[in-house]
Amino acid sequence: MKTKKETTITSSFYAYLSRLRWIKRWGLKRNAHDENVMEHSWEVSVIAHTLALIKNRYYGGNVDANAIAAAALYHDITEVITGDLPTPIKYHSEEISAAYKQIERQAEKELLNLLPAELQADFQALIHHDQMPEEHVRIIKAADKISAYLKCQAELKAGNAEFEMAAEQLAKTIAESDQPEVIFFMQAFVPSCGLTLDGLMKTY
C-alpha cells in the first residue's frame, strides 16, 4: 500500500502568481472595462496556441504549440513585481527601455528563485524570455498585440474614444506583419469578436 508522500518544501511562487489578478493594465487610460494581467495572460496564451497551430497546419511550420501556450501564460509574470508599465512609457526612450529590461530580468531571476531547486530548470524557458526559441517569442509577441487590439476594439465599442489612437497603431502594426498565421487569425477569428451574444448565436 502506497503512503502519502509528505514534503517540507515551501514556496511562495504561486502566491505571487495569484496576485496577477490585481495588476491592472492600460493604467494611463480611462477604461470602460478594467483588464488585469491574469486574464490578459490567458487570452494571449489561447491566441498564441492557435497561431502556432495555424502556422503548422497551413504554412508548413513545425513549432510546439503546447510549449508556446505554456510560455505565453507566463509572459507577463514579472509584472507581479514591477507592475504594468504602459507601452508609451516603456518605449519613451532608449534609456528607459534598457532600464526596464534590466528590471524585468532581475524580476525573472527573483521569481525563478522562489521555486524549489528541482523545478527551476523546468520553468527556466517559461520565465526567462531570452532562453525561449525565437519563433516562440515571435508568436507570443504577435498574440500579445492581437490581445491588445481586441481590448481596444472592446473599449471603442463601449464608446470610449480614449483607445482610438492605440487601436489604429495596433491595426497598422498587425496588418504589416510578415507572419501569415497572424493575418489568417485576424481574418478568420477577429471579426466575430465584435458581435453581441445574440449575434454570435446566429453564426451557428
Side-chain angles (χ1 to χ4, degrees):
M1 181 177 176
K2 291 183 179 179
T3 58
K4 186 177 179 181
K5 187 176 182 179
E6 294 184 2
T7 178
T8 56
I9 293 173
T10 60
S11 170
S12 57
F13 181 77
Y14 281 98
Y16 270 89
L17 258 61
S18 70
R19 302 190 66 81
L20 287 171
R21 63 170 54 88
W22 308 125
I23 310 297
K24 301 293 186 186
R25 287 172 47 80
W26 304 92
L28 292 182
K29 295 182 181 295
R30 175 178 60 82
N31 287 253
H33 307 288
D34 286 337
E35 180 185 55
N36 65 56
V37 174
M38 184 178 282
E39 62 187 293
H40 168 71
S41 297
W42 176 86
E43 183 171 55
V44 171
S45 180
V46 296
I47 293 172
H49 183 254
T50 304
L51 289 175
L53 293 176
I54 293 169
K55 182 180 182 67
N56 289 345
R57 301 293 179 241
Y58 291 91
Y59 300 107
N62 185 30
V63 294
D64 187 336
N66 294 332
I68 288 170
L73 280 173
Y74 293 91
H75 82 284
D76 276 341
I77 188 177
T78 56
E79 292 184 4
V80 77
I81 292 176
T82 67
D84 176 54
L85 187 66
T87 298
I89 303 299
K90 192 182 297 185
Y91 299 106
H92 179 71
S93 69
E94 290 183 8
E95 289 79 9
I96 291 176
S97 295
Y100 187 71
K101 187 69 69 178
Q102 187 175 356
I103 291 170
E104 280 186 319
R105 294 295 172 262
Q106 182 60 38
E108 288 174 354
K109 290 178 183 177
E110 291 188 16
L111 288 166
L112 192 65
N113 287 336
L114 292 175
L115 286 159
E118 293 79 5
L119 295 177
Q120 289 184 15
D122 299 299
F123 279 85
Q124 193 103 18
L126 295 174
I127 295 175
H128 283 297
H129 291 76
D130 56 3
Q131 296 186 21
M132 292 181 199
E134 179 58 30
E135 196 56 53
H136 290 199
V137 173
R138 275 170 48 81
I139 288 174
I140 293 169
K141 284 184 176 179
D144 197 24
K145 286 185 173 62
I146 292 172
S147 174
Y149 174 81
L150 292 173
K151 160 68 173 175
C152 291
Q153 293 304 309
E155 290 290 330
L156 293 175
K157 192 172 179 63
N160 185 5
E162 186 88 7
F163 282 76
E164 282 182 355
M165 187 174 293
E168 290 174 5
Q169 291 173 342
L170 284 163
K172 183 175 184 295
T173 299
I174 292 170
E176 294 173 350
S177 173
D178 62 354
Q179 296 168 263
E181 63 271 18
V182 171
I183 307 305
F184 184 108
F185 187 97
M186 294 298 292
Q187 293 174 349
F189 295 107
V190 169
S192 60
C193 291
L195 296 176
T196 62
L197 177 59
D198 291 334
L200 282 173
M201 298 296 287
K202 291 178 181 178
T203 62
Y204 283 103

